[in-house]
Amino acid sequence: MEYKNLVVTIEDQIAIIKFNRPNVLNALNIETLLELEKILDELSNNDAVRVVILTGEGKAFVAGADISQMSKFNPQEARAFAQLGHRVLSKLENLDRPVIAAINGYALGGGCEIALACDLRIIAETAKIGQPEVNLGIIPGFGGTQRLARLCGAGVAKELIYTGDMISADEAYRIGLVNKVVPQDKLLDSAKEIAQKILQKGPGAIRLTKTVINRGLDSPLETAKELEIETFALCFASGEPQEGMKAFLEKRKPNWIK
Ligand code: HXC
């Protein structure tokens, strides 16, 4: 798979997508968003990949939307750009397997928003993250106002967005924006370690968990609880629990159905 602005590698059922425009700190232009959409579409049809890791080349994860491109937008083009970002990040959020953001450096604006659309965020201790759009006279437009508020609470989201502050990895961990802070040189290994752990579990159970959590968060609590009950029952139609529990009782590792 050849891309201009992304480098994609697949090994051991893990796809690593690396943003690769280091000269502009991996800023997101339209072309990069379309490439990200293309690889997500391809991966959603590739059962050999069970976990995805996103990271960046150089000193940034993604330093936001491409300001050179955005600076020329009229309102219609701005709307189309925000719509494109939303479409692609919804595909990322709803990809039916876990996605881990391995934040190697600056994750700003659209870069923070990409990380927010992932299931888990691991950050290098030297990286910085934030939503600095107000410095440019714009607001987050790829879901930041909503996903950040849902993940960290409205008060935290408003503080980060109103001030435009770039915060440290430790601060991001303190406010619950990231799951884990690791040394820069251990970042990818740590992400792969988590991916490997996930790969040992029932693939169907992981996929259904993601759906139940994502759909549940968009639903009233009673509906979400019903969804959990029905999905719990659905697990038993796959053969996976039968193998998982049999393996436990026989004191062996499960052989998950591929
Ligand atoms: C275009 C960018 C860029 C960006 C950096 N560059 N960020 N180009 N879009 N978002 C370019 C710089 O112009 C520069 O190009 C090169 O990358 C290196 O960046 P420097 O600024 O020289 O690096 P440094 O001094 O280390 O500062 C790093 C930085 C700073 C603090 C991350 O680059 C910065 O503040 N970038 C902008 C971050 C930002 O505001 N992001 C939010 C964008 S709005 P040259 O040619 O000079 O070498 C957004 C909205 C999303 O994301 C939603 C839209 C709908």
Side-chain angles (χ1 to χ4, degrees), residues 15-31:
I16 300 180
I17 303 174
K18 189 184 267 193
F19 294 99
N20 189 36
R21 297 180 80 211
N23 293 343
V24 286
L25 307 189
N26 303 326
L28 289 174
N29 56 6
I30 293 171
E31 191 181 44

PDB file of all heavy atoms in Angstrom, residues 15-31:
ATOM      1  N   ALA A  15      -1.447  -3.082  12.356  1.00  0.00           N
ATOM      2  CA  ALA A  15      -1.113  -2.097  11.307  1.00  0.00           C
ATOM      3  C   ALA A  15      -0.599  -0.838  11.999  1.00  0.00           C
ATOM      4  O   ALA A  15      -1.206  -0.364  12.970  1.00  0.00           O
ATOM      5  CB  ALA A  15      -2.343  -1.772  10.473  1.00  0.00           C
ATOM      6  N   ILE A  16       0.525  -0.338  11.519  1.00  0.00           N
ATOM      7  CA  ILE A  16       1.036   0.939  12.035  1.00  0.00           C
ATOM      8  C   ILE A  16       0.900   1.977  10.931  1.00  0.00           C
ATOM      9  O   ILE A  16       1.436   1.810   9.832  1.00  0.00           O
ATOM     10  CB  ILE A  16       2.508   0.817  12.487  1.00  0.00           C
ATOM     11  CG1 ILE A  16       2.611  -0.238  13.594  1.00  0.00           C
ATOM     12  CG2 ILE A  16       3.035   2.175  12.980  1.00  0.00           C
ATOM     13  CD1 ILE A  16       4.004  -0.452  14.127  1.00  0.00           C
ATOM     14  N   ILE A  17       0.144   3.019  11.223  1.00  0.00           N
ATOM     15  CA  ILE A  17      -0.038   4.123  10.270  1.00  0.00           C
ATOM     16  C   ILE A  17       0.766   5.302  10.799  1.00  0.00           C
ATOM     17  O   ILE A  17       0.507   5.781  11.917  1.00  0.00           O
ATOM     18  CB  ILE A  17      -1.521   4.522  10.153  1.00  0.00           C
ATOM     19  CG1 ILE A  17      -2.384   3.326   9.745  1.00  0.00           C
ATOM     20  CG2 ILE A  17      -1.687   5.685   9.171  1.00  0.00           C
ATOM     21  CD1 ILE A  17      -3.889   3.611   9.748  1.00  0.00           C
ATOM     22  N   LYS A  18       1.733   5.751   9.986  1.00  0.00           N
ATOM     23  CA  LYS A  18       2.576   6.863  10.436  1.00  0.00           C
ATOM     24  C   LYS A  18       2.321   8.083   9.559  1.00  0.00           C
ATOM     25  O   LYS A  18       2.422   8.001   8.331  1.00  0.00           O
ATOM     26  CB  LYS A  18       4.046   6.433  10.334  1.00  0.00           C
ATOM     27  CG  LYS A  18       4.995   7.411  10.970  1.00  0.00           C
ATOM     28  CD  LYS A  18       6.430   6.987  10.756  1.00  0.00           C
ATOM     29  CE  LYS A  18       6.935   6.160  11.927  1.00  0.00           C
ATOM     30  NZ  LYS A  18       8.395   6.010  11.881  1.00  0.00           N
ATOM     31  N   PHE A  19       1.964   9.208  10.185  1.00  0.00           N
ATOM     32  CA  PHE A  19       1.830  10.458   9.435  1.00  0.00           C
ATOM     33  C   PHE A  19       3.225  10.885   9.012  1.00  0.00           C
ATOM     34  O   PHE A  19       4.159  10.903   9.831  1.00  0.00           O
ATOM     35  CB  PHE A  19       1.169  11.540  10.307  1.00  0.00           C
ATOM     36  CG  PHE A  19      -0.253  11.205  10.648  1.00  0.00           C
ATOM     37  CD1 PHE A  19      -0.577  10.640  11.866  1.00  0.00           C
ATOM     38  CD2 PHE A  19      -1.260  11.420   9.722  1.00  0.00           C
ATOM     39  CE1 PHE A  19      -1.889  10.307  12.171  1.00  0.00           C
ATOM     40  CE2 PHE A  19      -2.578  11.081  10.017  1.00  0.00           C
ATOM     41  CZ  PHE A  19      -2.889  10.527  11.246  1.00  0.00           C
ATOM     42  N   ASN A  20       3.371  11.231   7.738  1.00  0.00           N
ATOM     43  CA  ASN A  20       4.728  11.406   7.209  1.00  0.00           C
ATOM     44  C   ASN A  20       4.858  12.657   6.338  1.00  0.00           C
ATOM     45  O   ASN A  20       5.113  12.567   5.143  1.00  0.00           O
ATOM     46  CB  ASN A  20       5.098  10.136   6.412  1.00  0.00           C
ATOM     47  CG  ASN A  20       6.548  10.126   6.012  1.00  0.00           C
ATOM     48  OD1 ASN A  20       7.400  10.586   6.772  1.00  0.00           O
ATOM     49  ND2 ASN A  20       6.834   9.616   4.826  1.00  0.00           N
ATOM     50  N   ARG A  21       4.661  13.819   6.998  1.00  0.00           N
ATOM     51  CA  ARG A  21       4.983  15.106   6.354  1.00  0.00           C
ATOM     52  C   ARG A  21       5.840  15.886   7.361  1.00  0.00           C
ATOM     53  O   ARG A  21       5.443  16.956   7.845  1.00  0.00           O
ATOM     54  CB  ARG A  21       3.721  15.921   6.041  1.00  0.00           C
ATOM     55  CG  ARG A  21       2.753  15.303   5.057  1.00  0.00           C
ATOM     56  CD  ARG A  21       1.555  16.240   4.860  1.00  0.00           C
ATOM     57  NE  ARG A  21       1.845  17.328   3.948  1.00  0.00           N
ATOM     58  CZ  ARG A  21       1.284  18.542   4.033  1.00  0.00           C
ATOM     59  NH1 ARG A  21       0.433  18.835   5.012  1.00  0.00           N
ATOM     60  NH2 ARG A  21       1.591  19.470   3.163  1.00  0.00           N
ATOM     61  N   PRO A  22       6.973  15.325   7.732  1.00  0.00           N
ATOM     62  CA  PRO A  22       7.722  15.904   8.861  1.00  0.00           C
ATOM     63  C   PRO A  22       8.141  17.360   8.648  1.00  0.00           C
ATOM     64  O   PRO A  22       8.281  18.091   9.628  1.00  0.00           O
ATOM     65  CB  PRO A  22       8.946  14.985   8.999  1.00  0.00           C
ATOM     66  CG  PRO A  22       9.026  14.220   7.733  1.00  0.00           C
ATOM     67  CD  PRO A  22       7.650  14.144   7.166  1.00  0.00           C
ATOM     68  N   ASN A  23       8.306  17.794   7.390  1.00  0.00           N
ATOM     69  CA  ASN A  23       8.725  19.184   7.141  1.00  0.00           C
ATOM     70  C   ASN A  23       7.712  20.208   7.633  1.00  0.00           C
ATOM     71  O   ASN A  23       8.058  21.349   7.916  1.00  0.00           O
ATOM     72  CB  ASN A  23       8.953  19.439   5.644  1.00  0.00           C
ATOM     73  CG  ASN A  23      10.138  18.652   5.149  1.00  0.00           C
ATOM     74  OD1 ASN A  23      10.947  18.180   5.954  1.00  0.00           O
ATOM     75  ND2 ASN A  23      10.239  18.496   3.839  1.00  0.00           N
ATOM     76  N   VAL A  24       6.445  19.786   7.707  1.00  0.00           N
ATOM     77  CA  VAL A  24       5.399  20.685   8.222  1.00  0.00           C
ATOM     78  C   VAL A  24       4.758  20.062   9.471  1.00  0.00           C
ATOM     79  O   VAL A  24       3.583  20.281   9.763  1.00  0.00           O
ATOM     80  CB  VAL A  24       4.332  21.013   7.151  1.00  0.00           C
ATOM     81  CG1 VAL A  24       4.875  21.981   6.108  1.00  0.00           C
ATOM     82  CG2 VAL A  24       3.798  19.754   6.489  1.00  0.00           C
ATOM     83  N   LEU A  25       5.573  19.311  10.195  1.00  0.00           N
ATOM     84  CA  LEU A  25       5.125  18.675  11.448  1.00  0.00           C
ATOM     85  C   LEU A  25       3.842  17.855  11.247  1.00  0.00           C
ATOM     86  O   LEU A  25       2.956  17.847  12.102  1.00  0.00           O
ATOM     87  CB  LEU A  25       4.952  19.719  12.559  1.00  0.00           C
ATOM     88  CG  LEU A  25       6.159  20.629  12.828  1.00  0.00           C
ATOM     89  CD1 LEU A  25       5.935  21.468  14.079  1.00  0.00           C
ATOM     90  CD2 LEU A  25       7.456  19.830  12.971  1.00  0.00           C
ATOM     91  N   ASN A  26       3.789  17.185  10.090  1.00  0.00           N
ATOM     92  CA  ASN A  26       2.690  16.273   9.750  1.00  0.00           C
ATOM     93  C   ASN A  26       1.322  16.972   9.723  1.00  0.00           C
ATOM     94  O   ASN A  26       0.284  16.341   9.998  1.00  0.00           O
ATOM     95  CB  ASN A  26       2.655  15.065  10.712  1.00  0.00           C
ATOM     96  CG  ASN A  26       3.959  14.319  10.711  1.00  0.00           C
ATOM     97  OD1 ASN A  26       4.631  14.225   9.686  1.00  0.00           O
ATOM     98  ND2 ASN A  26       4.366  13.777  11.851  1.00  0.00           N
ATOM     99  N   ALA A  27       1.345  18.265   9.380  1.00  0.00           N
ATOM    100  CA  ALA A  27       0.081  19.019   9.296  1.00  0.00           C
ATOM    101  C   ALA A  27      -0.871  18.313   8.330  1.00  0.00           C
ATOM    102  O   ALA A  27      -0.466  17.781   7.299  1.00  0.00           O
ATOM    103  CB  ALA A  27       0.355  20.444   8.822  1.00  0.00           C
ATOM    104  N   LEU A  28      -2.146  18.352   8.687  1.00  0.00           N
ATOM    105  CA  LEU A  28      -3.181  17.633   7.928  1.00  0.00           C
ATOM    106  C   LEU A  28      -3.722  18.492   6.809  1.00  0.00           C
ATOM    107  O   LEU A  28      -4.445  19.468   7.065  1.00  0.00           O
ATOM    108  CB  LEU A  28      -4.367  17.334   8.844  1.00  0.00           C
ATOM    109  CG  LEU A  28      -4.224  16.289   9.931  1.00  0.00           C
ATOM    110  CD1 LEU A  28      -5.485  16.306  10.785  1.00  0.00           C
ATOM    111  CD2 LEU A  28      -4.002  14.916   9.324  1.00  0.00           C
ATOM    112  N   ASN A  29      -3.398  18.129   5.580  1.00  0.00           N
ATOM    113  CA  ASN A  29      -4.074  18.778   4.456  1.00  0.00           C
ATOM    114  C   ASN A  29      -5.170  17.836   3.955  1.00  0.00           C
ATOM    115  O   ASN A  29      -5.343  16.722   4.477  1.00  0.00           O
ATOM    116  CB  ASN A  29      -3.069  19.158   3.352  1.00  0.00           C
ATOM    117  CG  ASN A  29      -2.272  17.959   2.880  1.00  0.00           C
ATOM    118  OD1 ASN A  29      -2.536  16.819   3.289  1.00  0.00           O
ATOM    119  ND2 ASN A  29      -1.302  18.195   2.017  1.00  0.00           N
ATOM    120  N   ILE A  30      -5.892  18.300   2.949  1.00  0.00           N
ATOM    121  CA  ILE A  30      -7.018  17.494   2.439  1.00  0.00           C
ATOM    122  C   ILE A  30      -6.508  16.137   1.947  1.00  0.00           C
ATOM    123  O   ILE A  30      -7.096  15.090   2.216  1.00  0.00           O
ATOM    124  CB  ILE A  30      -7.750  18.264   1.309  1.00  0.00           C
ATOM    125  CG1 ILE A  30      -8.440  19.492   1.899  1.00  0.00           C
ATOM    126  CG2 ILE A  30      -8.742  17.377   0.566  1.00  0.00           C
ATOM    127  CD1 ILE A  30      -9.027  20.462   0.875  1.00  0.00           C
ATOM    128  N   GLU A  31      -5.379  16.181   1.252  1.00  0.00           N
ATOM    129  CA  GLU A  31      -4.811  14.947   0.683  1.00  0.00           C
ATOM    130  C   GLU A  31      -4.519  13.914   1.779  1.00  0.00           C
ATOM    131  O   GLU A  31      -4.822  12.720   1.625  1.00  0.00           O
ATOM    132  CB  GLU A  31      -3.521  15.332  -0.050  1.00  0.00           C
ATOM    133  CG  GLU A  31      -2.936  14.256  -0.910  1.00  0.00           C
ATOM    134  CD  GLU A  31      -1.641  14.739  -1.575  1.00  0.00           C
ATOM    135  OE1 GLU A  31      -0.802  15.385  -0.891  1.00  0.00           O
ATOM    136  OE2 GLU A  31      -1.471  14.471  -2.771  1.00  0.00           O
TER     137      GLU A  31
END
